[in-house]
């Protein structure tokens, strides 16, 4: 966050300039160099505007200048609308003129290949060295709606302008950004800042997000991402938005292999692993939209109503069938539809004997005879349970002119009496009436199910202190050697880090295997030890359910011979004799190094489940113990761990402790760790000793 605080001033000069120069300015308002000149003049920019073109004395009725340096007055923002071959010279001129920020429309850089990427890197380095903030290249620029700054050549504002509002929108794609701008205009959504980042030679998506997180004119942030070059910077920006209480609604493409490939080829960005992006978004309370409709619905709703205190909701309806529909949707979305108290239900029945007063509350069509039932029933519900959210389905009544004063009075009265309650109405309203209710911070939905899903999403926004943006440096760092470790070495490292590991012995001969089996007692497992063979069962290097010295001795020789037959090139370092555990649930825990976000912790069900169901949870490190418990609980198959079918529940605390220990090990190892995996991690009830690591694989990262 300190990084963003230090650069806030430079970005403010960029996004809120008092003077603008357009390099490559054109007399034609339809050309790329003419559009931004036309927009500033037409849309009321009240600062200084300088067209720059050495071939003209006047452009669009304004004095033109041959170079930026020739202007001789302060220029906050220079818009460069010149061919790629002229960009270097134009940037040099901007630096000489002490310009604070540059928007570079030009294409022909990183999106074209290695040579373009190198040229783009030189531009970014040059701008940073001079203290000039650079947006682009290959971008559509930005618009500061409230200040009438239109540093863009998008045709969208020319068709019709978006009104000023409290939502900021950042897009890595210019085409998507222009379409989203048009959607905002069509839906009546007001924007504070609209920005596209293109190839991101200097200013990144995360920088824009962080600026909006600190912008007093912005309450909600919308973002479109195709990839990320700097995971820690993105996490820091998301943490800043969360800390400042600003909801972030995100569309992130590349969730499939095909989608990721398309995104990378379009923006030359690192696609990364979409599951990791999803986990990071959850860590920082980001609302991930699945489509454009949801993108705007969530952002607009967050701007209108904010977030509810918790997941409790009161449901009111004039139709029993729709009430059941809302209750089903609320349950599916994890909202708390708690029933009213007996006293409250009795009160409602005294007014309408045939009402269904539990929650949902169905007051029936009796409201037609007594309009006061609407407000009286809502107040009974909210006074009784103090619901964080209240939603009323009023059928088609909203379309009636006669009903409109009643509805307006209902919302106004409830808003005054319950200022901290999220209010929502489902009915059919004309746009101007909907806007009037939204001005009172009441959401309006035509489809009650859409309303329930939106409220559930808003209730899922995290509050309070965000997680750390980047891993802290370990106080006792650990340097791993490159390559795959033997299983005993991996188990020893994890045990030293605090992970409970199975009782075992490392043996070098058949006689030592027999002695180890006798010392451990009960059933044992014999596994070959070889750093060259990470998956021992694939070569017959594992023997299970052995009892006594004789069986262990024979198993040592048998597994060794099979391994040497399958892999004569492998080095064998004896065998591992371990206690064989009965019962429990096979789980898997691991850490891998994501190319964008660094070390990422994974937990899920092990064995065949991890391959077939892919039921795993992820967190970018560092994590808290609460994060570890949440990872366990968010598995779809959590019931298996929590005592399904009468089984004793496993010790969740021991799993959380093991995950924290594994995370701590990964942070200590730092960049020297490529991956670490415990498979299986046997989860057992507390009475049986809790969880224990049975097999481990640790891979050091090559320099």
């Amino acid at each position: 966050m300190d990084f963003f605080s230090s650069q806030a001033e430079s970005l403010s000069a960029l996004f809120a300039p008092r003077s603008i120069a357009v390099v490559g300015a054109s007399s034609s308002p339809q050309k790329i160099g003419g559009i931004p000149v036309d927009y500033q003049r037409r849309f009321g920019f009240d600062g200084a505007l300088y067209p720059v073109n050495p071939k003209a004395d006047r452009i669009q009725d304004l004095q033109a200048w041959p170079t930026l340096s020739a202007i001789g007055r302060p220029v906050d923002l220079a818009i460069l609308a010149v061919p790629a071959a002229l960009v270097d010279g134009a940037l040099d001129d901007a630096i000489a003129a002490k310009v604070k920020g540059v928007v570079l429309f030009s294409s022909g850089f990183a999106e074209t290949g290695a040579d373009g990427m190198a040229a783009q890197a030189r531009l970014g380095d040059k701008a940073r060295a001079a203290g000039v903030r650079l947006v682009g290249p290959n971008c559509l620029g930005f618009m500061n709606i409230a200040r009438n700054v239109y540093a863009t050549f998008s045709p969208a504002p020319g068709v019709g302008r978006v009104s000023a509002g409290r939502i900021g929108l950042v897009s890595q794609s210019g085409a998507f950004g222009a379409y989203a701008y048009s959607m905002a205009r069509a839906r009546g959504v007001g924007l504070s800042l609209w920005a596209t980042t293109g190839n991101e030679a200097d200013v990144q998506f995360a920088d824009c997000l962080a600026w909006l997180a600190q912008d007093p004119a912005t309450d909600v942030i919308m973002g479109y991402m195709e990839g990320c070059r700097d995971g820690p910077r993105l996490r820091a920006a998301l943490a800043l938005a969360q800390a400042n209480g600003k909801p972030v609604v995100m569309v992130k493409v590349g969730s499939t292999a095909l989608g990721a490939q398309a995104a990378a080829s379009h923006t030359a960005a690192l696609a990364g692993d979409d599951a990791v992006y999803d986990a990071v978004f959850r860590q920082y309370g980001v609302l991930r939209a699945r489509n454009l409709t949801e993108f705007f619905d969530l952002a607009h709703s967050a701007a209108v109503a904010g977030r509810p205190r918790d997941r409790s909701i009161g449901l009111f309806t004039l139709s029993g069938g729709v009430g059941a529909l809302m209750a089903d949707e609320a349950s599916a979305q994890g909202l708390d539809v708690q029933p009213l108290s007996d006293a409250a239900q009795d009160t409602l029945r005294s007014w309408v004997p045939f009402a269904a007063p539990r929650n949902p509350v169905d007051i029936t069509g009796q409201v037609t005879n007594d309009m006061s039932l609407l407000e009286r029933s809502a107040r009974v519900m909210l006074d009784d349970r103090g619901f964080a959210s209240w939603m009323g389905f009023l059928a088609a009544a909203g379309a009636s002119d006669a009903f409109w004063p009643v509805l307006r009075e209902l919302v106004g009265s409830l808003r005054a009496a319950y200022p901290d309650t999220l209010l929502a109405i489902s009915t059919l309203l004309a746009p101007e009436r909907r806007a009037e209710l939204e001005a009172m911070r009441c959401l309006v939905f035509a489809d009650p199910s859409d309303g329930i899903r939106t409220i559930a999403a808003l209730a899922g926004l995290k509050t309070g202190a965000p997680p750390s943006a980047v891993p802290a440096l370990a106080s006792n760092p650990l340097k791993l050697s490159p390559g795959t470790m033997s299983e005993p070495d991996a188990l020893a490292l994890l045990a030293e880090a605090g992970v409970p590991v199975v009782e075992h012995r490392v043996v070098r001969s058949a006689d030592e295997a027999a002695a180890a089996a006798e010392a451990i007692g009960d059933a044992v497992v014999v596994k070959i030890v070889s750093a060259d063979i990470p998956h021992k069962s694939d070569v017959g290097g594992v023997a299970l359910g052995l009892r006594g010295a004789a069986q262990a001795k024979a198993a040592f020789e048998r597994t060794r011979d099979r391994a040497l037959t399958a892999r004569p090139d492998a080095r064998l370092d004896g065998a591992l004799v371990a206690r064989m555990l009965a019962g429990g649930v096979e789980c898997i825990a691991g850490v891998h190094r994501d190319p964008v976000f660094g070390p990422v912790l994974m937990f899920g069900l092990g064995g065949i489940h991890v391959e077939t169901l892919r039921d795993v949870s992820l967190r970018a490190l560092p994590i808290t113990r609460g994060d570890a418990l949440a990872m366990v609980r968010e598995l779809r198959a959590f019931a298996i761990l929590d005592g399904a079918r009468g089984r004793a529940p496993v010790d969740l605390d021991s799993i959380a402790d093991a995950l924290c220990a594994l995370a701590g090990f990964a942070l200590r190892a730092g960049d020297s760790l490529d991956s670490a995996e415990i498979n299986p991690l046997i989860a057992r009830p507390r009475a049986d000793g809790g969880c224990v690591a049975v097999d481990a694989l640790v891979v050091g990262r090559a320099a």
Side-chain angles (χ1 to χ4, degrees), residues 289-359:
R290 297 166 295 180
N291 52 57
L292 285 174
T293 299
E294 192 173 75
F295 189 42
F296 278 92
D297 284 347
L298 289 174
H300 181 63
S301 296
V304 168
R307 56 170 65 91
R309 299 185 306 275
D310 54 48
R311 302 189 73 83
S312 64
I313 187 168
L315 300 173
F316 176 87
T317 179
L318 304 183
S319 162
V322 175
L325 177 71
M326 290 195 295
D328 287 345
E329 187 66 51
S331 177
Q333 296 296 327
L335 292 175
D336 181 11
V337 190
Q338 55 185 295
L340 299 186
S341 68
D342 291 342
Q345 293 188 46
D346 289 343
T347 297
L348 293 172
R349 283 197 193 94
S350 72
W351 298 340
V352 182
F354 42 86
R358 183 176 170 83
N359 189 19

Side-chain angles (χ1 to χ4, degrees), residues 188-499:
V189 173
L191 300 179
S192 55
L193 180 82
W194 175 95
T196 65
T197 58
N199 288 7
E200 301 184 351
D202 173 39
V203 175
Q204 297 183 19
F205 175 93
D207 301 328
C208 297
L209 194 156
W211 188 83
L212 289 170
Q214 302 170 89
D215 176 31
T218 300
D219 293 333
V220 177
I221 303 168
M222 300 173 72
Y224 171 86
M225 287 187 64
E226 295 176 342
C228 176
R229 292 172 178 80
D230 189 337
R233 183 181 293 197
L234 177 62
R235 291 181 66 184
L238 293 174
L240 184 58
Q242 188 177 354
N244 290 348
K246 299 195 178 182
V248 177
V249 183
M250 193 80 72
V251 170
K252 164 66 177 66
V253 297
S255 60
T256 65
L258 181 61
Q261 182 181 14
S265 63
H266 179 52
T267 63
L270 293 171
D273 184 345
D274 187 71
V276 178
Y277 278 99
D278 208 47
V280 168
F281 291 161
R282 285 198 304 274
Q283 281 177 268
Y284 294 93
V286 174
L287 300 175
R288 188 169 186 181
R290 297 166 295 180
N291 52 57
L292 285 174
T293 299
E294 192 173 75
F295 189 42
F296 278 92
D297 284 347
L298 289 174
H300 181 63
S301 296
V304 168
R307 56 170 65 91
R309 299 185 306 275
D310 54 48
R311 302 189 73 83
S312 64
I313 187 168
L315 300 173
F316 176 87
T317 179
L318 304 183
S319 162
V322 175
L325 177 71
M326 290 195 295
D328 287 345
E329 187 66 51
S331 177
Q333 296 296 327
L335 292 175
D336 181 11
V337 190
Q338 55 185 295
L340 299 186
S341 68
D342 291 342
Q345 293 188 46
D346 289 343
T347 297
L348 293 172
R349 283 197 193 94
S350 72
W351 298 340
V352 182
F354 42 86
R358 183 176 170 83
N359 189 19
V361 170
D362 176 14
I363 209 69
T364 76
Q366 186 65 22
V367 71
T368 304
N369 294 326
D370 183 359
M371 291 290 186
S372 72
L373 284 171
L374 287 174
E375 183 177 336
R376 286 193 286 147
S377 300
R379 285 177 175 270
V380 165
M381 296 174 68
L382 291 168
D383 289 341
D384 183 58
R385 291 300 189 197
F387 295 113
S389 301
W390 181 89
M391 180 171 179
F393 174 72
L394 305 181
S400 165
D401 289 339
F403 182 73
W404 169 242
V406 176
L407 178 55
R408 183 173 52 192
E409 175 61 27
L410 169 69
V411 172
S413 178
L414 293 181
R415 173 51 65 223
Y418 309 97
D420 297 330
T421 300
L422 186 149
L423 298 177
I425 296 293
S426 178
T427 189
L428 302 176
L429 287 177
E432 63 274 10
R433 290 178 174 175
R434 172 178 179 147
E436 188 170 342
L437 294 190
E438 289 177 343
M440 291 187 273
R441 293 175 35 239
C442 176
L443 299 175
V444 180
F445 300 94
D447 183 340
S449 295
D450 285 345
I452 296 294
R453 286 191 291 270
T454 299
I455 292 170
L458 296 177
L461 285 168
K462 290 186 177 181
T463 58
S468 298
V470 293
L473 293 176
S475 57
N476 51 342
L478 178 67
K479 181 71 173 178
L480 304 181
S481 299
T484 303
M485 293 183 180
S486 69
E487 183 181 357
D489 289 345
L491 286 172
L493 273 175
L494 294 177
E496 186 271 336
V499 177

